[in-house]
Amino acid sequence: MDEKTRDDLLKLFQSKLNEAMRLYLETCTRCGVCTEACHVYASMGQTRYIAAYRHEIVRRIYKKYFKGRGKVWPSVGESKELTEMALQELYDAAYSCTGCRRCMVYCPFGIDTQTLMSIAKLLLVGAHAEPEVLTMLADTSIEKGKSLEFFKESFLTGIKNLEAEVVKKWKMEAGETPIPVDVEGADLLYVALAGAHSIIPAAAIFNAAKENWTLSFFEAVNFGAFVGDPTRTKLILERIINEAKRLRVKEVSICECGTAYRVMKQLSGKQPFKVSSITEAHARYIREGKIKLDKTKIKEPVTYHDPCQIARNGGVIDEPRYILSNLTNDFRDMTPDVRYNWCCGGGGGLVALGEDNLDFRMKSSKVKVDQVKQTGAKILATACENCHSQLSDLNKHYSMGVKVRFLSSMIADALVQ
Amino acid sequence: MEAAVETVYYIILVPMVYVAFAIFFVGTVARLVKIFREPKNPTTLQIFPEKEPKWLFGLYDTFLLPTVRRQMPVFWVFLMFFHVSFLLLIIGHIELFKEFSVFQVIPHEVFLGRGFVGLVLLLCLLFFLFRRFKSPYRELSVPEDYYLLILLFLAVLFGSQMDWARRWYEYGGMTVENYRDYLLSLLYLKPKIPSDIEVSGHSFMLVLHVFFANLFLIFFPFSQAMHSFFSLPMNKLRRG
């Protein structure tokens, strides 16, 4: 690696250093309490997947270039030069970490591995060594934000084609629009994903609840966050913030996508609208009696997989359970509880890499499979696109024999007209 | 005593102590100032479910280590014994300067703990050290982790020796009064080594104790021992 590249990368490193980051970098005592925390380690048993070991890969470079010790007495902390090999190590650490933050629950200091891995991811972006597909997807999202007019027509046609499906789930009066788009002054802006499964059930439920809603032009998923690029993350986020402001909505509701929800909720700053996950909105409709559900529709035992970014990292924990108590009499919660819930193994952009890392994703999530099996449930509900994809892959790979379902689609199917 | 040895004793017992304390205080304050002047993280770093009041749970996490208790109960017992003993050790040393009635709530003879504070610390340190020889902790450890444990072990070992000699073997060559004279003279910047200390058959224990303690103090601000200051703010970040 030449001098110039290294300097540029170190500048990127520097840009990530704030109070919390320095605390995370400087406090680890390598006590190893986090050993059993990572689902990858728990499933595969290799030391390099222990949270503290992942930290050290970043920390060694930090000690070398940002601490006096790294110059005076480099061996004491095993500080390490930033080289091509170091980048490879950073890649292995960052792209085997799903950012579920389960290790944060174990650590006596609460060191956040996901935040530390964001340094690794940013350095990889800087060195053009990140998974290209993630950057490409992020750039597509950004491009869409810039030239909305160009995409508008095809988007509206696509939406029109879904309307019949929505009406099948919830009949409407003549003259009502099943999927309203671009409605100024609507109460709620729903940000979905590019996929009918993310729009049809949600639309039916909004209509059933008589919500004054409108569908966003943009998809919620933030590939910028997956690839760990703060600039792209912000650009993708801002498209939605600007749309919400333009339409003067009171609430932005994010579809079943963990990262999108957490980024919107925690990164959008102070805005004139509130941010909710679609699960929260659904729980509200049931609580306020706006929708009624038929409990007899689901006949098999159900369990729920808490998406890490929505539950442990986003705080939406009671709502899905409340919804499920209105959908079934046979809900079986997983053990251990939500704080210690195992990650599905698909977060942090891993599932978006598709076939490339399928083998790793399957091997590293053995503990999740066992956790689901333990419940004896036949329906595995979840509220996150990534989790859904990963759990479906696991279901197939391990022949788990469960049905993996989105919570919203279960609600839509149980709506009482 | 030979003059050369006397000089070495003097350097360790006087100038090195000053240097060590200076590095300890300046280094620690500088590092705290540097870190806490950095900008805050733009987003929350907490995890859920949250419990109120958050500050109280932050203190709970910091001082009672519930996550360690849940995951590694044996390690937790050693950690608690170690940290409580370390606190007692600090109090014990403060009492070597002067008697404070606050510390005499439970009446005791100085040095407190009847020699067991040091013994418990040594056993804990050995546990921590041997633990690191085992996989996967061996792979996680870096030299710093061993240096700190070894330095502390040596400092505590020689310190405890002096305590044990008086407590358990009725050795009377060095008394608490001698230590008080020595420490207060250092505090008032009029360093004087009492002759009792110098000629005692146990004086090399004291010199070695002070030497390793000095090294520990010098290393402290640059090491992960700083978790003693960082743990609370970090646990507050986690609690939100």
Side-chain angles (χ1 to χ4, degrees):
Chain A
M1 184 184 299
D2 60 79
E3 203 68 21
K4 168 91 174 59
T5 316
R6 183 173 298 132
D7 282 351
D8 290 345
L9 292 181
L10 290 175
K11 272 188 205 122
L12 288 177
F13 200 127
Q14 174 90 49
S15 75
K16 295 293 277 185
L17 295 178
N18 58 29
E19 181 196 283
M21 192 67 92
R22 282 199 190 260
L23 287 172
Y24 291 154
L25 283 164
E26 296 186 13
T27 308
C28 181
T29 56
R30 290 162 289 275
C31 67
V33 173
C34 56
T35 300
E36 294 294 333
C38 181
H39 62 278
V40 186
Y41 180 81
S43 298
M44 297 170 78
Q46 284 159 292
T47 313
R48 62 191 167 123
Y49 298 127
I50 296 175
Y53 196 92
R54 294 176 197 271
H55 303 166
E56 280 303 299
I57 302 214
V58 177
R59 201 171 278 131
R60 283 171 192 189
I61 297 169
Y62 174 72
K63 288 183 226 179
K64 172 87 189 166
Y65 297 101
F66 299 97
K67 298 299 289 176
R69 270 173 32 166
K71 293 168 187 89
V72 181
W73 192 8
S75 71
V76 70
E78 289 183 351
S79 59
K80 198 164 179 176
E81 226 169 280
L82 181 55
T83 59
E84 294 293 339
M85 267 320 287
L87 280 178
Q88 184 61 48
E89 277 189 316
L90 288 170
Y91 187 98
D92 291 341
Y95 284 99
S96 61
C97 170
T98 57
C100 72
R101 293 165 104 220
R102 190 173 187 268
C103 44
M104 203 173 165
V105 186
Y106 280 61
C107 177
F109 309 112
I111 295 176
D112 181 351
T113 308
Q114 187 188 34
T115 300
L116 284 176
M117 287 305 111
S118 77
I119 296 180
K121 287 192 167 183
L122 183 61
L123 293 187
L124 290 167
V125 171
H128 306 292
E130 82 283 15
E132 260 173 78
V133 57
L134 294 181
T135 307
M136 269 165 47
L137 288 165
D139 285 340
T140 312
S141 299
I142 295 167
E143 201 43 53
K144 196 173 164 190
K146 280 185 197 152
S147 38
L148 180 58
E149 290 309 312
F150 184 76
F151 292 98
K152 219 171 181 171
E153 274 318 302
S154 63
F155 179 76
L156 290 175
T157 318
I159 294 301
K160 262 273 168 284
N161 292 338
L162 299 179
E163 286 187 344
E165 293 287 323
V166 176
V167 177
K168 251 190 237 166
K169 290 198 188 289
W170 184 261
K171 289 182 200 67
M172 302 188 70
E173 308 278 326
E176 284 180 328
T177 325
I179 308 178
V181 184
D182 216 18
V183 182
E184 257 184 68
D187 288 333
L188 181 145
L189 174 70
Y190 175 58
V191 195
L193 292 171
H197 66 279
S198 167
I199 299 173
I200 295 166
I205 299 166
F206 284 134
N207 295 337
K210 307 251 176 296
E211 180 67 80
N212 177 15
W213 71 290
T214 181
L215 179 68
S216 170
F217 279 115
F218 304 111
E219 68 287 337
V221 60
N222 197 319
F223 288 105
F226 285 148
V227 78
D229 183 338
T231 319
R232 287 189 171 94
T233 306
K234 210 152 173 264
L235 284 169
I236 295 171
L237 173 66
E238 269 167 7
R239 305 170 315 163
I240 300 165
I241 294 178
N242 292 336
E243 187 184 29
K245 282 181 176 162
R246 182 170 60 80
L247 300 177
R248 300 190 316 276
V249 295
K250 297 185 191 112
E251 179 177 357
V252 173
S253 200
I254 305 291
C255 65
E256 292 169 311
C257 172
T259 306
Y261 169 64
R262 188 157 165 234
V263 168
M264 191 73 196
K265 177 93 181 172
Q266 299 183 352
L267 214 68
S268 60
K270 211 174 153 50
Q271 299 293 350
F273 51 82
K274 72 167 190 171
V275 178
S276 65
S277 78
I278 187 74
T279 308
E280 288 174 291
H282 290 164
R284 191 171 70 216
Y285 298 150
I286 299 173
R287 207 167 276 140
E288 292 172 358
K290 289 186 174 167
I291 55 173
K292 294 252 172 321
L293 303 178
D294 177 1
K295 251 190 183 180
T296 61
K297 283 279 165 96
I298 294 162
K299 294 184 177 70
E300 289 163 309
V302 184
T303 188
Y304 178 72
H305 165 73
D306 280 293
C308 301
Q309 307 308 339
I310 292 178
R312 179 164 46 237
N313 302 330
V316 182
I317 295 165
D318 299 335
E319 289 83 351
R321 286 166 178 77
Y322 175 71
I323 293 172
L324 282 163
S325 72
N326 282 276
L327 278 171
T328 174
N329 287 324
D330 193 358
F331 170 65
R332 304 174 182 187
D333 220 340
M334 292 191 205
T335 39
D337 63 76
V338 57
R339 240 155 87 94
Y340 290 92
N341 184 43
W342 288 110
C343 172
C344 67
L350 260 58
V351 104
L353 300 181
E355 291 289 319
D356 291 356
N357 63 355
L358 183 66
D359 184 53
F360 172 79
R361 280 195 283 121
M362 296 302 104
K363 282 182 183 153
S364 63
S365 308
K366 180 79 178 57
V367 282
K368 182 78 231 180
V369 175
D370 295 340
Q371 196 190 12
V372 175
K373 278 186 183 164
Q374 223 179 43
T375 64
K378 288 288 159 221
I379 296 173
L380 172 53
T382 192
C384 166
E385 182 79 14
N386 267 357
C387 300
H388 188 278
S389 307
Q390 166 76 359
L391 292 170
S392 303
D393 286 346
L394 288 175
N395 191 20
K396 202 168 131 200
H397 183 85
Y398 287 98
S399 311
M400 289 163 71
V402 295
K403 282 187 216 96
V404 184
R405 296 202 61 186
F406 283 110
L407 200 50
S408 63
S409 107
M410 290 165 74
I411 301 170
D413 287 351
L415 284 173
V416 179
Q417 185 84 34
Chain B
M1 197 171 5
E2 273 190 51
V5 177
E6 224 170 289
T7 314
V8 172
Y9 275 24
Y10 179 80
I11 289 173
I12 290 170
L13 289 179
V14 180
M16 194 186 175
V17 175
Y18 283 124
V19 170
F21 268 92
I23 292 177
F24 172 74
F25 279 115
V26 175
T28 303
V29 170
R31 217 172 135 191
L32 290 175
V33 168
K34 185 167 183 212
I35 267 199
F36 293 112
R37 280 180 63 181
E38 288 276 355
K40 300 269 178 263
N41 200 65
T43 59
T44 175
L45 290 160
Q46 80 174 104
I47 46 175
F48 297 88
E50 56 187 7
K51 278 188 188 163
E52 299 285 351
K54 288 170 177 174
W55 62 268
L56 188 64
F57 280 98
L59 288 172
Y60 168 66
D61 291 348
T62 307
F63 293 104
L64 293 175
L65 317 174
T67 67
V68 186
R69 191 184 57 220
R70 179 166 171 156
Q71 303 307 330
M72 298 182 176
V74 177
F75 184 41
W76 180 80
V77 168
F78 279 95
L79 277 178
M80 289 312 285
F81 268 109
F82 175 80
H83 285 96
V84 170
S85 301
F86 205 92
L87 187 71
L88 294 175
L89 197 75
I90 294 171
I91 295 173
H93 279 83
I94 293 174
E95 283 186 308
L96 280 183
F97 282 91
K98 195 172 164 284
E99 270 190 34
F100 293 93
S101 50
V102 235
F103 295 136
Q104 286 292 348
V105 179
I106 305 165
H108 60 266
E109 192 185 323
V110 177
F111 196 99
L112 56 72
R114 298 168 183 237
F116 283 99
V117 171
L119 186 65
V120 168
L121 277 172
L122 288 173
L123 292 176
C124 291
L125 285 162
L126 278 182
F127 176 83
F128 297 153
L129 192 63
F130 278 85
R131 191 173 167 271
R132 286 200 189 268
F133 295 155
K134 212 177 66 185
S135 185
Y137 313 110
R138 190 180 62 221
E139 288 92 329
L140 296 178
S141 303
V142 299
E144 167 184 357
D145 305 329
Y146 298 103
Y147 292 156
L148 267 177
L149 289 175
I150 293 168
L151 268 184
L152 265 177
F153 183 81
L154 291 170
V156 177
L157 180 67
F158 291 114
S160 299
Q161 280 281 349
M162 301 189 293
D163 200 17
W164 297 338
R166 278 187 303 112
R167 285 304 178 80
W168 298 346
Y169 304 101
E170 280 104 39
Y171 176 83
M174 275 198 289
T175 62
V176 170
E177 295 314 311
N178 296 143
Y179 299 135
R180 279 204 178 129
D181 289 346
Y182 163 60
L183 287 171
L184 285 174
S185 80
L186 283 177
L187 187 66
Y188 296 140
L189 304 178
K190 286 176 192 152
K192 187 176 130 306
I193 303 171
S195 53
D196 276 359
I197 285 187
E198 229 166 1
V199 298
S200 151
H202 249 166
S203 57
F204 70 96
M205 290 291 176
L206 175 74
V207 172
L208 286 172
H209 171 65
V210 173
F211 176 72
F212 289 116
N214 284 342
L215 286 185
F216 176 71
L217 285 175
I218 292 169
F219 193 30
F220 185 98
F222 311 102
S223 74
Q224 30 130 321
M226 285 294 282
H227 74 255
S228 30
F229 296 100
F230 294 155
S231 185
L232 183 60
M234 289 177 78
N235 272 299
K236 275 174 69 188
L237 284 178
R238 170 167 55 183
R239 285 285 177 179

